[in-house]
């Protein structure tokens, strides 16, 4: 009997690979989203019968759907379709919505709330999405019940092999604690519910709020294959507006249309600097796995100590520290980015608190042997002291 096992294994592997047709499309190392897109003339096209927009590698969008994402190289897209670089090693809020809850037959049965946080990590110089937390609350008024469920999903791929941790809470707990519990729940009469599943064909984790038109997918980053991984990595949040979406953004009023969150009109800030400022001001708990202590340190500091003008000048002088992969790789081999985040924080503090801290940043970069990582104009200029507050 033992002799048959290898053959059986080979056959099942063949079946797996043909069923999933795992081949890259065109010049891209990535494959098209199985079940949503096909490779046409060297690029992935979303199935036109179901989707109105998309790129076929990362997302396909239905009519009436609002989409937000966080993906490499760290790009945040908001529901208002604003896209910006978001090199943030701290836990951030990605989406917070209220949706009508409907039964499988389309009858309104209550309402729901979904809140999504993400956290990024650093591998060598690259910042990638490490995982997400989602909390969902269903109010099934028809039955007079509340159902709360939360999930934390994080990890990486290692040469295509998923190393994923899935945890949960049987309540609406955006910040945890997360335990090893099964969170799936489907209400039998209405079909409303919450599920966390793995879409093996696309190497993605899928969190769905059934009856609320909310789907969250997460494709982990492959630390070995890196840019050659088969599925495009990142976190995608889809919200169907036919469920009467109300957008709730941190610190902003509730709106029926997605706000332009990072509106730099009338400031000299870049959208990137404004997004960092908001994330540091926001009441977001740094409860991700192995957080850098620097994340809690910078939070609150910027709002308490930096005037608008100090933060503006600080961001102009310091933001490059979080944006130069080769520099980050030289100075910081941690996964939580605690060294680069610490240098960035000290640099911002030199503008808001104590100018001498700027010389300390320069000294620390020198001591790490990273004063002249080639072809980084900001580094060369920074090391002369020309960027320090005068
Ligand atoms: C952006 O801010 C400016 C100045 O405060 C305001 O006039 C404008 O309406 C805002 N734009 C959007 C799209 O919210
Ligand atoms: C961050 O990573 C470093 C290096 O891997 C580790 O020593 C540290 O404990 C981590 N956590 C914090 C809070 O800095």
């Amino acid at each position: 009997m033992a002799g048959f096992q290898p053959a059986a294994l080979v056959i099942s592997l063949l079946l797996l690979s043909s069923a999933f047709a795992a081949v890259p499309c065109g010049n891209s190392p990535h494959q098209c989203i199985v079940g949503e897109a096909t490779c046409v003339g060297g690029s992935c096209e979303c199935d036109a019968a179901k989707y109105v927009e998309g790129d076929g590698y990362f997302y396909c969008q239905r009519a009436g759907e609002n989409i937000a994402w966080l993906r490499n190289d760290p790009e945040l897209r908001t529901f208002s379709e604003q896209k910006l670089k978001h090199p943030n090693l701290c836990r951030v809020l990605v989406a917070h919505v209220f949706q009508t809850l409907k039964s499988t037959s389309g009858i309104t049965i209550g309402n729901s709330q979904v809140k999504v946080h993400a956290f990024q990590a650093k591998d060598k110089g690259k910042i990638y999405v490490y995982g997400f937390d989602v909390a969902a609350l269903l109010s099934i008024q028809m039955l007079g019940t509340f159902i709360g469920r939360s999930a934390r999903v994080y990890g990486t791929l290692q040469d295509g092999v998923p190393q994923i941790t899935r945890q949960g809470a049987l309540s609406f707990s955006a910040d945890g604690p997360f335990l090893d519990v099964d969170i799936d729940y489907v209400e039998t009469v209405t079909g409303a519910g919450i599920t966390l599943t793995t879409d093996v064909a696309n190497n993605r984790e899928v969190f769905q709020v059934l009856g609320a038109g909310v789907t969250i997918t997460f494709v982990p980053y492959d630390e070995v294959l890196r840019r050659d991984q088969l599925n495009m990595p990142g976190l995608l949040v889809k919200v169907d507006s036919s469920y009467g979406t109300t957008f709730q953004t941190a610190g902003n009023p509730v709106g029926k249309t997605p706000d332009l969150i990072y509106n730099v009109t009338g400031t000299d800030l870049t959208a990137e600097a404004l997004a960092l400022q908001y994330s540091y001001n926001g009441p977001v708990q740094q409860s991700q796995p192995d957080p850098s202590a620097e994340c809690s340190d910078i939070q609150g500091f910027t709002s308490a100590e930096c005037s608008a003008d100090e933060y503006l000048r600080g961001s102009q002088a310091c933001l490059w520290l979080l944006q130069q992969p080769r520099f980050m790789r030289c100075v910081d081999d941690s996964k939580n980015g605690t060294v680069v985040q610490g240098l960035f924080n000290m640099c911002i503090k030199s503008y808001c608190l104590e100018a001498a801290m700027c010389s300390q940043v320069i000294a620390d970069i020198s001591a790490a042997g990273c004063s002249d990582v080639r072809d980084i104009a900001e580094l060369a200029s920074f090391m002369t002291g020309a960027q320090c507050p005068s």
Side-chain angles (χ1 to χ4, degrees), residues 357-385:
M357 286 179 146
C358 194
S359 324
Q360 188 60 49
V361 180
I362 293 175
D364 287 358
I365 293 172
S366 286
C370 302
S371 322
D372 33 46
V373 180
R374 68 183 161 78
D375 301 333
I376 304 179
E378 297 96 327
L379 171 63
S381 163
F382 192 85
M383 294 310 285
T384 66

PDB file of all heavy atoms in Angstrom, residues 357-385:
ATOM      1  N   MET A 357      17.965  67.175  18.890  1.00  0.00           N
ATOM      2  CA  MET A 357      17.703  65.773  18.549  1.00  0.00           C
ATOM      3  C   MET A 357      18.075  65.471  17.101  1.00  0.00           C
ATOM      4  O   MET A 357      18.344  64.322  16.741  1.00  0.00           O
ATOM      5  CB  MET A 357      16.228  65.444  18.770  1.00  0.00           C
ATOM      6  CG  MET A 357      15.882  65.333  20.247  1.00  0.00           C
ATOM      7  SD  MET A 357      14.130  64.973  20.424  1.00  0.00           S
ATOM      8  CE  MET A 357      14.157  63.937  21.866  1.00  0.00           C
ATOM      9  N   CYS A 358      18.109  66.504  16.268  1.00  0.00           N
ATOM     10  CA  CYS A 358      18.441  66.301  14.846  1.00  0.00           C
ATOM     11  C   CYS A 358      19.884  65.810  14.714  1.00  0.00           C
ATOM     12  O   CYS A 358      20.165  64.915  13.915  1.00  0.00           O
ATOM     13  CB  CYS A 358      18.222  67.601  14.081  1.00  0.00           C
ATOM     14  SG  CYS A 358      18.197  67.391  12.301  1.00  0.00           S
ATOM     15  N   SER A 359      20.793  66.382  15.504  1.00  0.00           N
ATOM     16  CA  SER A 359      22.196  65.925  15.461  1.00  0.00           C
ATOM     17  C   SER A 359      22.293  64.476  15.920  1.00  0.00           C
ATOM     18  O   SER A 359      23.148  63.727  15.458  1.00  0.00           O
ATOM     19  CB  SER A 359      23.085  66.766  16.378  1.00  0.00           C
ATOM     20  OG  SER A 359      22.669  68.088  16.375  1.00  0.00           O
ATOM     21  N   GLN A 360      21.391  64.093  16.829  1.00  0.00           N
ATOM     22  CA  GLN A 360      21.392  62.704  17.305  1.00  0.00           C
ATOM     23  C   GLN A 360      20.983  61.746  16.181  1.00  0.00           C
ATOM     24  O   GLN A 360      21.539  60.660  16.052  1.00  0.00           O
ATOM     25  CB  GLN A 360      20.448  62.567  18.509  1.00  0.00           C
ATOM     26  CG  GLN A 360      20.526  61.226  19.203  1.00  0.00           C
ATOM     27  CD  GLN A 360      21.931  60.936  19.757  1.00  0.00           C
ATOM     28  OE1 GLN A 360      22.519  61.779  20.441  1.00  0.00           O
ATOM     29  NE2 GLN A 360      22.484  59.768  19.435  1.00  0.00           N
ATOM     30  N   VAL A 361      20.012  62.170  15.362  1.00  0.00           N
ATOM     31  CA  VAL A 361      19.602  61.330  14.229  1.00  0.00           C
ATOM     32  C   VAL A 361      20.800  61.131  13.301  1.00  0.00           C
ATOM     33  O   VAL A 361      21.110  60.004  12.879  1.00  0.00           O
ATOM     34  CB  VAL A 361      18.418  61.958  13.449  1.00  0.00           C
ATOM     35  CG1 VAL A 361      18.019  61.076  12.275  1.00  0.00           C
ATOM     36  CG2 VAL A 361      17.225  62.178  14.369  1.00  0.00           C
ATOM     37  N   ILE A 362      21.517  62.231  13.026  1.00  0.00           N
ATOM     38  CA  ILE A 362      22.687  62.152  12.150  1.00  0.00           C
ATOM     39  C   ILE A 362      23.745  61.223  12.761  1.00  0.00           C
ATOM     40  O   ILE A 362      24.295  60.354  12.075  1.00  0.00           O
ATOM     41  CB  ILE A 362      23.262  63.577  11.907  1.00  0.00           C
ATOM     42  CG1 ILE A 362      22.244  64.394  11.100  1.00  0.00           C
ATOM     43  CG2 ILE A 362      24.611  63.508  11.198  1.00  0.00           C
ATOM     44  CD1 ILE A 362      22.630  65.846  10.893  1.00  0.00           C
ATOM     45  N   ALA A 363      23.968  61.387  14.057  1.00  0.00           N
ATOM     46  CA  ALA A 363      24.976  60.547  14.732  1.00  0.00           C
ATOM     47  C   ALA A 363      24.578  59.072  14.683  1.00  0.00           C
ATOM     48  O   ALA A 363      25.419  58.198  14.456  1.00  0.00           O
ATOM     49  CB  ALA A 363      25.144  61.015  16.174  1.00  0.00           C
ATOM     50  N   ASP A 364      23.284  58.785  14.875  1.00  0.00           N
ATOM     51  CA  ASP A 364      22.825  57.391  14.850  1.00  0.00           C
ATOM     52  C   ASP A 364      22.979  56.773  13.457  1.00  0.00           C
ATOM     53  O   ASP A 364      23.324  55.601  13.325  1.00  0.00           O
ATOM     54  CB  ASP A 364      21.356  57.304  15.294  1.00  0.00           C
ATOM     55  CG  ASP A 364      21.195  57.521  16.802  1.00  0.00           C
ATOM     56  OD1 ASP A 364      22.216  57.697  17.501  1.00  0.00           O
ATOM     57  OD2 ASP A 364      20.032  57.539  17.278  1.00  0.00           O
ATOM     58  N   ILE A 365      22.712  57.577  12.436  1.00  0.00           N
ATOM     59  CA  ILE A 365      22.860  57.061  11.063  1.00  0.00           C
ATOM     60  C   ILE A 365      24.343  56.760  10.790  1.00  0.00           C
ATOM     61  O   ILE A 365      24.684  55.718  10.232  1.00  0.00           O
ATOM     62  CB  ILE A 365      22.286  58.061  10.032  1.00  0.00           C
ATOM     63  CG1 ILE A 365      20.760  58.169  10.207  1.00  0.00           C
ATOM     64  CG2 ILE A 365      22.624  57.642   8.602  1.00  0.00           C
ATOM     65  CD1 ILE A 365      20.106  59.272   9.379  1.00  0.00           C
ATOM     66  N   SER A 366      25.215  57.649  11.229  1.00  0.00           N
ATOM     67  CA  SER A 366      26.663  57.427  11.074  1.00  0.00           C
ATOM     68  C   SER A 366      27.103  56.177  11.808  1.00  0.00           C
ATOM     69  O   SER A 366      27.810  55.331  11.252  1.00  0.00           O
ATOM     70  CB  SER A 366      27.465  58.594  11.666  1.00  0.00           C
ATOM     71  OG  SER A 366      27.368  59.695  10.839  1.00  0.00           O
ATOM     72  N   ALA A 367      26.646  56.061  13.068  1.00  0.00           N
ATOM     73  CA  ALA A 367      27.065  54.926  13.895  1.00  0.00           C
ATOM     74  C   ALA A 367      26.614  53.604  13.281  1.00  0.00           C
ATOM     75  O   ALA A 367      27.281  52.579  13.436  1.00  0.00           O
ATOM     76  CB  ALA A 367      26.509  55.077  15.304  1.00  0.00           C
ATOM     77  N   ALA A 368      25.482  53.632  12.559  1.00  0.00           N
ATOM     78  CA  ALA A 368      24.986  52.406  11.919  1.00  0.00           C
ATOM     79  C   ALA A 368      25.729  52.127  10.610  1.00  0.00           C
ATOM     80  O   ALA A 368      25.478  51.118   9.952  1.00  0.00           O
ATOM     81  CB  ALA A 368      23.488  52.533  11.659  1.00  0.00           C
ATOM     82  N   GLY A 369      26.618  53.035  10.209  1.00  0.00           N
ATOM     83  CA  GLY A 369      27.384  52.844   8.975  1.00  0.00           C
ATOM     84  C   GLY A 369      26.553  53.101   7.728  1.00  0.00           C
ATOM     85  O   GLY A 369      26.796  52.510   6.676  1.00  0.00           O
ATOM     86  N   CYS A 370      25.552  53.975   7.843  1.00  0.00           N
ATOM     87  CA  CYS A 370      24.633  54.177   6.717  1.00  0.00           C
ATOM     88  C   CYS A 370      24.655  55.620   6.202  1.00  0.00           C
ATOM     89  O   CYS A 370      23.681  56.080   5.601  1.00  0.00           O
ATOM     90  CB  CYS A 370      23.217  53.779   7.126  1.00  0.00           C
ATOM     91  SG  CYS A 370      23.105  52.065   7.672  1.00  0.00           S
ATOM     92  N   SER A 371      25.759  56.331   6.433  1.00  0.00           N
ATOM     93  CA  SER A 371      25.830  57.743   6.025  1.00  0.00           C
ATOM     94  C   SER A 371      25.823  57.923   4.524  1.00  0.00           C
ATOM     95  O   SER A 371      25.392  58.954   4.028  1.00  0.00           O
ATOM     96  CB  SER A 371      27.129  58.400   6.501  1.00  0.00           C
ATOM     97  OG  SER A 371      27.473  57.959   7.752  1.00  0.00           O
ATOM     98  N   ASP A 372      26.380  56.945   3.816  1.00  0.00           N
ATOM     99  CA  ASP A 372      26.410  57.179   2.374  1.00  0.00           C
ATOM    100  C   ASP A 372      25.921  55.994   1.555  1.00  0.00           C
ATOM    101  O   ASP A 372      26.611  55.510   0.676  1.00  0.00           O
ATOM    102  CB  ASP A 372      27.774  57.694   1.884  1.00  0.00           C
ATOM    103  CG  ASP A 372      28.935  57.124   2.684  1.00  0.00           C
ATOM    104  OD1 ASP A 372      28.930  55.887   2.914  1.00  0.00           O
ATOM    105  OD2 ASP A 372      29.806  57.889   3.105  1.00  0.00           O
ATOM    106  N   VAL A 373      24.712  55.560   1.890  1.00  0.00           N
ATOM    107  CA  VAL A 373      24.018  54.616   1.003  1.00  0.00           C
ATOM    108  C   VAL A 373      23.853  55.371  -0.319  1.00  0.00           C
ATOM    109  O   VAL A 373      23.375  56.508  -0.327  1.00  0.00           O
ATOM    110  CB  VAL A 373      22.636  54.238   1.586  1.00  0.00           C
ATOM    111  CG1 VAL A 373      21.920  53.258   0.672  1.00  0.00           C
ATOM    112  CG2 VAL A 373      22.785  53.640   2.982  1.00  0.00           C
ATOM    113  N   ARG A 374      24.287  54.737  -1.423  1.00  0.00           N
ATOM    114  CA  ARG A 374      24.400  55.504  -2.674  1.00  0.00           C
ATOM    115  C   ARG A 374      23.051  55.985  -3.251  1.00  0.00           C
ATOM    116  O   ARG A 374      22.002  55.377  -3.000  1.00  0.00           O
ATOM    117  CB  ARG A 374      25.159  54.683  -3.720  1.00  0.00           C
ATOM    118  CG  ARG A 374      24.380  53.480  -4.180  1.00  0.00           C
ATOM    119  CD  ARG A 374      25.103  52.583  -5.163  1.00  0.00           C
ATOM    120  NE  ARG A 374      24.436  51.289  -5.161  1.00  0.00           N
ATOM    121  CZ  ARG A 374      23.296  51.049  -5.800  1.00  0.00           C
ATOM    122  NH1 ARG A 374      22.719  51.985  -6.525  1.00  0.00           N
ATOM    123  NH2 ARG A 374      22.719  49.856  -5.717  1.00  0.00           N
ATOM    124  N   ASP A 375      23.147  57.055  -3.999  1.00  0.00           N
ATOM    125  CA  ASP A 375      22.016  57.592  -4.780  1.00  0.00           C
ATOM    126  C   ASP A 375      20.784  57.948  -3.951  1.00  0.00           C
ATOM    127  O   ASP A 375      19.657  57.718  -4.389  1.00  0.00           O
ATOM    128  CB  ASP A 375      21.574  56.593  -5.873  1.00  0.00           C
ATOM    129  CG  ASP A 375      22.698  56.266  -6.852  1.00  0.00           C
ATOM    130  OD1 ASP A 375      23.579  57.147  -7.007  1.00  0.00           O
ATOM    131  OD2 ASP A 375      22.696  55.162  -7.431  1.00  0.00           O
ATOM    132  N   ILE A 376      20.981  58.451  -2.746  1.00  0.00           N
ATOM    133  CA  ILE A 376      19.826  58.957  -2.001  1.00  0.00           C
ATOM    134  C   ILE A 376      20.113  60.416  -1.655  1.00  0.00           C
ATOM    135  O   ILE A 376      20.799  60.723  -0.682  1.00  0.00           O
ATOM    136  CB  ILE A 376      19.544  58.127  -0.724  1.00  0.00           C
ATOM    137  CG1 ILE A 376      19.344  56.643  -1.090  1.00  0.00           C
ATOM    138  CG2 ILE A 376      18.306  58.653   0.008  1.00  0.00           C
ATOM    139  CD1 ILE A 376      19.087  55.728   0.093  1.00  0.00           C
ATOM    140  N   ALA A 377      19.601  61.297  -2.489  1.00  0.00           N
ATOM    141  CA  ALA A 377      19.908  62.724  -2.350  1.00  0.00           C
ATOM    142  C   ALA A 377      19.498  63.245  -0.972  1.00  0.00           C
ATOM    143  O   ALA A 377      20.224  64.026  -0.355  1.00  0.00           O
ATOM    144  CB  ALA A 377      19.209  63.509  -3.456  1.00  0.00           C
ATOM    145  N   GLU A 378      18.347  62.785  -0.472  1.00  0.00           N
ATOM    146  CA  GLU A 378      17.864  63.278   0.828  1.00  0.00           C
ATOM    147  C   GLU A 378      18.826  62.897   1.951  1.00  0.00           C
ATOM    148  O   GLU A 378      19.011  63.654   2.890  1.00  0.00           O
ATOM    149  CB  GLU A 378      16.480  62.693   1.158  1.00  0.00           C
ATOM    150  CG  GLU A 378      15.374  63.093   0.200  1.00  0.00           C
ATOM    151  CD  GLU A 378      15.140  62.043  -0.866  1.00  0.00           C
ATOM    152  OE1 GLU A 378      16.113  61.367  -1.291  1.00  0.00           O
ATOM    153  OE2 GLU A 378      13.971  61.889  -1.291  1.00  0.00           O
ATOM    154  N   LEU A 379      19.406  61.699   1.844  1.00  0.00           N
ATOM    155  CA  LEU A 379      20.344  61.243   2.874  1.00  0.00           C
ATOM    156  C   LEU A 379      21.587  62.121   2.868  1.00  0.00           C
ATOM    157  O   LEU A 379      22.032  62.617   3.917  1.00  0.00           O
ATOM    158  CB  LEU A 379      20.716  59.770   2.629  1.00  0.00           C
ATOM    159  CG  LEU A 379      21.858  59.193   3.489  1.00  0.00           C
ATOM    160  CD1 LEU A 379      21.503  59.203   4.969  1.00  0.00           C
ATOM    161  CD2 LEU A 379      22.202  57.761   3.039  1.00  0.00           C
ATOM    162  N   ALA A 380      22.145  62.338   1.670  1.00  0.00           N
ATOM    163  CA  ALA A 380      23.362  63.142   1.559  1.00  0.00           C
ATOM    164  C   ALA A 380      23.128  64.529   2.145  1.00  0.00           C
ATOM    165  O   ALA A 380      23.921  65.033   2.940  1.00  0.00           O
ATOM    166  CB  ALA A 380      23.779  63.225   0.091  1.00  0.00           C
ATOM    167  N   SER A 381      22.000  65.116   1.787  1.00  0.00           N
ATOM    168  CA  SER A 381      21.686  66.454   2.272  1.00  0.00           C
ATOM    169  C   SER A 381      21.451  66.455   3.784  1.00  0.00           C
ATOM    170  O   SER A 381      21.925  67.332   4.508  1.00  0.00           O
ATOM    171  CB  SER A 381      20.461  66.960   1.509  1.00  0.00           C
ATOM    172  OG  SER A 381      19.894  68.045   2.181  1.00  0.00           O
ATOM    173  N   PHE A 382      20.756  65.432   4.263  1.00  0.00           N
ATOM    174  CA  PHE A 382      20.448  65.357   5.696  1.00  0.00           C
ATOM    175  C   PHE A 382      21.729  65.257   6.523  1.00  0.00           C
ATOM    176  O   PHE A 382      21.861  65.888   7.577  1.00  0.00           O
ATOM    177  CB  PHE A 382      19.540  64.143   5.977  1.00  0.00           C
ATOM    178  CG  PHE A 382      18.934  64.153   7.355  1.00  0.00           C
ATOM    179  CD1 PHE A 382      17.754  64.846   7.609  1.00  0.00           C
ATOM    180  CD2 PHE A 382      19.542  63.486   8.409  1.00  0.00           C
ATOM    181  CE1 PHE A 382      17.198  64.878   8.883  1.00  0.00           C
ATOM    182  CE2 PHE A 382      18.991  63.511   9.686  1.00  0.00           C
ATOM    183  CZ  PHE A 382      17.819  64.206   9.920  1.00  0.00           C
ATOM    184  N   MET A 383      22.692  64.488   6.031  1.00  0.00           N
ATOM    185  CA  MET A 383      23.919  64.251   6.806  1.00  0.00           C
ATOM    186  C   MET A 383      24.777  65.508   6.940  1.00  0.00           C
ATOM    187  O   MET A 383      25.602  65.589   7.836  1.00  0.00           O
ATOM    188  CB  MET A 383      24.734  63.098   6.184  1.00  0.00           C
ATOM    189  CG  MET A 383      24.052  61.734   6.251  1.00  0.00           C
ATOM    190  SD  MET A 383      23.427  61.245   7.879  1.00  0.00           S
ATOM    191  CE  MET A 383      24.968  60.806   8.713  1.00  0.00           C
ATOM    192  N   THR A 384      24.567  66.501   6.072  1.00  0.00           N
ATOM    193  CA  THR A 384      25.316  67.760   6.213  1.00  0.00           C
ATOM    194  C   THR A 384      24.740  68.623   7.333  1.00  0.00           C
ATOM    195  O   THR A 384      25.329  69.619   7.725  1.00  0.00           O
ATOM    196  CB  THR A 384      25.242  68.602   4.926  1.00  0.00           C
ATOM    197  OG1 THR A 384      23.888  69.029   4.729  1.00  0.00           O
ATOM    198  CG2 THR A 384      25.700  67.816   3.695  1.00  0.00           C
ATOM    199  N   GLY A 385      23.535  68.255   7.814  1.00  0.00           N
ATOM    200  CA  GLY A 385      22.881  69.076   8.839  1.00  0.00           C
ATOM    201  C   GLY A 385      22.006  70.155   8.234  1.00  0.00           C
ATOM    202  O   GLY A 385      21.294  70.875   8.960  1.00  0.00           O
TER     203      GLY A 385
END
